[in-house]
Amino acid sequence: MTSHPSASKTTNVANHRPQNRSLSQNHPKSPRAFPRQPTIDLVEAPTDGVIVAEPLHKRQKLEEKQDAVATGARNKSQESLVRNGISKVSTQNSLDSPTIKEEPERVTEGSIPLSLDQKAPSSHPRVFHLFPSRPCIRSRKITKRRDAFATERAAVKQVVQVKPYIPEAPSPAPQYQRGGTADYCPWIGNHSEDVLNELTTKQGFFDKSQVAQNETTTARPSVWSSLKHKSGLQILSSLLVAALDQRQIHGTITSSCTFKPPPRVTLTDTKREAWLRDLANPAIPLRRLSRTIPHGIRGKSLLDHCLAKDIPTARAVWLAKCVGANEIRAFKRKGASGAFAIGGETKWIWDWTTNVESFVETIVAECGTSSWRDKMNYSLRLVTHIFSEHLLDQEQYLDWVVASLQSSDLHSVLIWLLVVQLYWTEVVRYRERGRRLAEALLDQLWKAYQPPNRGAFMEVFRHLMEIVQSFMVSDPLCFLLKNWNKYEAMLRNYIPTHEDIVFIEFERLSRRNSRIRRLPVKQGCQYSGQSSQQRLIALLDNMPFKIDICDTADACMRTVTHHDLLITTCIDWATNIYRDGQARIYIVIRLLRRWAKSDIELDRLILKYLSASVNLPPQQTTNIYRIVAELIHSKHFSVARYLQWLMARGTLAEQDKPDRASPCDVQLLLELPLHGLPSHVLNLRRILLSSIGASATSEDSTLTTTKARIANQIQDFFPASQFPACHVLQNCDPWQHSQTVKSAVGRWIRQAVASHFPVFSVQRKLDSASDRFLQTANGDSSLVAISCEQFLSVRNVLEDFEDFSVLADIIKICCCSEDTKVLTAAADTVNHHVDIFMAIGAVDDLFQSLYRRYEETCRQKAFEWSFAVSLVDLGAHLPRSNGEVRNLRRALLHHEQVSCVTASSPISDHMAEALQSAESTFADEVEHLLSSGTSMDKQTLRQIFGIVTKRVETSWADPEQCPLINFAEILLRLRKFGTDTFEELVRDWLDDLLPFTPRPTLSKILPPFICTAAITLKTVLDRMVIHLTRTAAKSHIAALGLDGLELLMISDLDLPPFATNREYRLHLQQLHIIKEFSSLTVPILHATVEACSGEETAMCERARALIKNPRIQNIIKGLLQQYSKNPDAINSVFGSDQMERHVLQVIDSMFYPSPEPGVSEADLHDQVSRILNHVNDFNVPLCQLKLRAILATASQNFSETANTLVTIVMERATAPTNALTDVWASLISGLPPKQAFHIRQRAESEIISGITKDVLSMTDNCKGMMKALVAIVDASSASIPDFGTPLVVTQITDRLSSMILSSPITRGLNCEEQAAVTKDAKHIPEGLQLYIEVLLRLLTIHQAAVHCAKMSENSIVQLLVTLSLLLTHESLCSLQNLSEHVLDVLAILTDSLSEDTRSQCVRLLRDQYRTRDPRLLFLFGYSENAEGEWLQLMTSSLSASSAKNEGLVGPSESTQPFCLRKWEMMQDTTPLVTENDTSLSLGLFGARKTVL
């Protein structure tokens, strides 16, 4: 017998009654339980130290303003209540008669003493009631307390609204399985436990268990006799087995499945809302709601209701399953079956997925609104659960997520990135979607990288970069992209080199992408298979104007890691004759100085370069000596070590007397700068010079003569007494001077200029790093130490000597001058050579010095307009000087406005008429007219402009009467009256002037106007190009072309002395056009080339003389340098079928370092052979131009010319001694498509025929030939049509298939060798590896054929399956590079497959070849098992008797995939619980009932 727990202690009844379980749980007739309401403490807490166990849940609400009388009365009432031991009162508000009941206090350890003898520390001890009060006593106490509370309420004059107290069950109390709290019964007065009698008081309450009468004694006597028998255990086991059999028979579920989704009924809006509220309430079970579900809740509205009602996620998914199951079953009820039912179900799932996508888009679009965060969290949680339950089309949904990330803007990209990260594992599971994710991330990264967004979205950029780096390391195969080169430079700038894993993976991806990249089909584009040397040259050619030496040096070292090749290539790039400009020399000088700090032995590498430099053109050797001299100045090259090296090699013993044709290592002895060298080094140099027949005395004499000539040119600048008259020579070519003389003269001029400025003559310091003077003295100079004429003369001398580092120092010194003409000339000089000074690193310092001098001049003197304009032109090249440029433009505008305010009288029309009538005093009248006012309307401006231009045209007959420079000054002043109107008038005048036939050449008319900035050279060339494209007459086109070319190359102008400095402005505009607007020169050059073969003799001779000018050749070199960017431009210039002989001579003079007579008259074979002998990495564009010219002028027909060219190229390219494979490939990439097509076909046939030979017989020469042939095919891939060549792809597939089927890996080997090859892949013949690499490269080049319509689907499937089998071949899989190449090619080919082709490949690989390679699973996007294969349905095809008759051991069993109906996998679908009410029938598993 087990007693009730309350029997152990009778007092528990009273202790549990007031605070615990609600009445409705055990008593069905009790009133409905309401949520617990907090009790209101109407009195203050006792201050006598008694701890109150019940917390204060609600305080009395009092008025802010209470009178003192009410407060005192309330305090007295509270004191009386405390003395009576009342601390808490619970009130119950009733509609009829509110009553106040006492709430017994909880007896706790803190409130009840351990014994009844102990007393509370308060002066008024409390009375603790352990039993309920008797009714009579209770009524009297309640009456007294009611009176007390009535007094209190009268004093407070406030009615406190309270709520009834409902007891709650304690949380730690045990719970019954079907609901209810054990041993909890609140006191209500009518319960059996509420009545106390003598029995219950003595024994308490307990449950009386009924004991069966037949079990009063033990069963041992009746059982023991059977167990004691020898067969007792067998009998016992038989009984147990029989019991288990009966349990199996009666417990197995055999009933049919009773599952059906909850039916839908049409409800009113009110009932539907009530049902949804019940669904949102977790306390209401789903079985109660599953009787019916409202009709009309579907699609996006279903999700909106779940969001609005905040339905728990599990219940919302349950509702979605109910709706979906009913919708899907509706298709079957309508009579559709088979494919129609499946199609309807698929369409409904597609629509449902679209609704889910729309739901997420709506929530994302509400970003920034109130409670958006909660909505976003709920929607993502709900949709993620729906996705994980497979309740939508996952493929469609994941594609939409990736597409939304790619199409989002930078403001919402982080939100979509959060959405993508929820499904990251599913997205990157297969390459097809992982590649799109990588492209989306890189595209967003590219948007944030652009200059307009780089500052505002830097945090977004950093976050994206972190994700891309992590993604790159975890799934590198997703980053095999066709447009990788677009993002490579950006990623390289932000990939941290200190993190080895990320950097190594990035370099590996760059190599893999370059290997599978196909050359763009546009003819003339840059060859994709460049060597490291060619990539370095391209990097140096494409350097930005504002270079960062540190970044450039690091990029060069990353491109070429070999120091010897790095130094050699950079010096060759800076000194070769196929590049133009002096800036490249100083760039390389700074790069070498930078690398010298990285422990690179410059002395050894430069000496090695000098010893290998033989037979170089004089211009290249001069540049080499300039580089060495600058390195000697900065102490980065040791002269003593060079002299020791020269003596140790014994080279001087073979030299009689050095000259310009001597080797560079010997000639450098005469080119060394001598300043700062120790005396013993100078003596050793003199000894070495005397040993080869040279004398240091003649060198000193040349230096003295040169100084005397310069001193004679610049009057009153150098002391005349230093140089006798015999040393003054009028004619002396600066190119004939050695670098020793040039360095000494430059230093001497710099000292002379510095001596004219006291601030520099006090103290000077030479900066060894940049070879510039730094001002260290304090104070300002108040002297005009140098005149403008002297400065211009010094500048001309240094420009002739090409000593721009000294020129930068002199400009820095002249910034202290107070002569604004000198300052303006200095600013124009910096602007003219801005690229050189930028390479030196002095342009920012010079601009800031000139700008500070401009501010001082404005404070001391009047505003100098020409100086401000020069600074504006210079500052336009400097991004860091935008603030200064804005201030200068503001000052110019203010100056014009002030001029207008000072004289605001308008110029009238009659003044223009009076001007037209004046003849002899035209200039004076114009001056008077322009000075009489500063405002002019458009009509008057047009009249005056027309009058001036007419006078210009009449002055052509007698230019001395009125020089054009005067008209230019007039137009410049007229320009200020209306810039826009003036520009329009200039364009109209040029349109009338250019086609005007009886006029002088433009080189005699327009230079004065261009020098004064009245007309810009760009405006003239723009109008000229328009006329060249519109005009049809050849004579007129030739005249315009020659005039434009003369404007670009004119140098000497006949200007008056006051305008000499303006000639420099014309040269500045010429250089600006050539560098920034080279496209304008293309039609002008084309017209000049056409004029060389014209019919007019005078025009033809003029064009031939003009095309040979060295400045025109520099323009052509600049266009050739941009050949990869704009190949059509240079082709349009020299693309005529019959090119004139003089033009060919010009090309020959640019191509061949030394003149070779008779080159153009040789036959085709000799000309092509001679060109191929001179080809290198620097003259490939010029060599392509020469080849095109030869092919255009060849006398043979096209087929013979093409065959000759193909034969020569193939002979040279496949020669065993050929080491210029990359150069050959780059040369062929620029050939015309017809010639490139024949060369490519020939190379492909050689490759295919060579692969059929025996693998083991391949020699090193064959390997080199194969590499050269592949490079030629790659370079000539521009001739491949857009649809590809399917025949070549078919041949490649056949070769690869034959390799796999016939086992060429082990062909020709004995058994032992075959076993060794299979065991160790390192013994695989290198020839076979090379053949596979060649075929893969050919397949990459012809990848367009895989996706064209002419390629059959079976051929594509065969190719992909062959590559897949090759990838998983046991003898090749251990070769990492080869396997990686096969994987990369297979990945790039599977990107654009159709679904049918992909499915066919999957069926072959998975079903026929049983391939489970994870790389193939990733590429083709299929799982190891088909859908439903993880769950199989087993059926017996034969009965036991049939199997026995056929001789089988048992019945044969077959399995088939069993697909789950995911929409019906739900719980609580029916209000009544049955044994088999699940969606998946329990009878399929042989399930048994649970035995309780």
Side-chain angles (χ1 to χ4, degrees), residues 657 670 693-705 741:
K657 188 175 182 180
L670 282 77
S695 174
T697 305
S698 60
E699 189 177 68
D700 295 338
S701 177
T702 303
L703 177 60
T704 304
T705 303
V741 175

Side-chain angles (χ1 to χ4, degrees), residues 761-825:
S761 62
V762 174
Q763 183 179 2
R764 298 190 305 272
K765 179 181 180 181
L766 185 62
D767 184 12
S768 61
S770 61
D771 197 14
R772 292 180 290 131
F773 278 99
L774 300 178
Q775 179 178 348
T776 58
N778 296 324
D780 296 331
S781 176
S782 60
L783 301 176
V784 180
I786 184 173
S787 63
C788 183
E789 292 76 11
Q790 292 173 344
F791 175 80
L792 297 179
S793 300
V794 169
R795 183 185 67 184
N796 293 334
V797 171
L798 294 177
E799 287 177 345
D800 292 339
F801 280 25
E802 295 183 347
D803 197 347
F804 293 99
S805 60
V806 174
L807 180 59
D809 296 337
I810 291 177
I811 294 175
K812 176 68 175 180
I813 295 172
C814 292
C815 288
C816 297
S817 176
E818 292 188 352
D819 189 356
T820 55
K821 294 182 179 180
V822 174
L823 297 175
T824 304

Side-chain angles (χ1 to χ4, degrees), residues 48 75-86 122-127:
D48 52 0
N75 292 338
K76 292 180 180 179
S77 176
Q78 292 175 356
E79 291 176 1
S80 63
L81 292 175
V82 170
R83 285 194 299 269
N84 293 331
I86 301 174
S122 176
S123 59
H124 304 281
R126 290 184 179 272
V127 179

Side-chain angles (χ1 to χ4, degrees), residues 46 88 143 195 229 253 281 302 400 407 496 578 610 732 798 873 910 1096 1117 1223 1340 1369:
K88 289 187 178 181
T143 304
V195 180
H229 197 267
I253 297 177
N281 187 5
L302 186 149
W400 170 79
S407 61
Y578 305 108
L610 292 174
C732 186
L798 294 177
D873 295 339
H910 345 228
E1096 298 184 9
K1117 290 179 182 179
V1223 178
T1340 303
H1369 199 283

Side-chain angles (χ1 to χ4, degrees), residues 95 259 282 427 503 687 762 1093 1102 1213 1331 1451:
L95 296 175
F259 171 83
V427 172
F503 182 74
I687 295 172
V762 174
S1093 58
R1102 180 185 170 193
Y1331 279 146

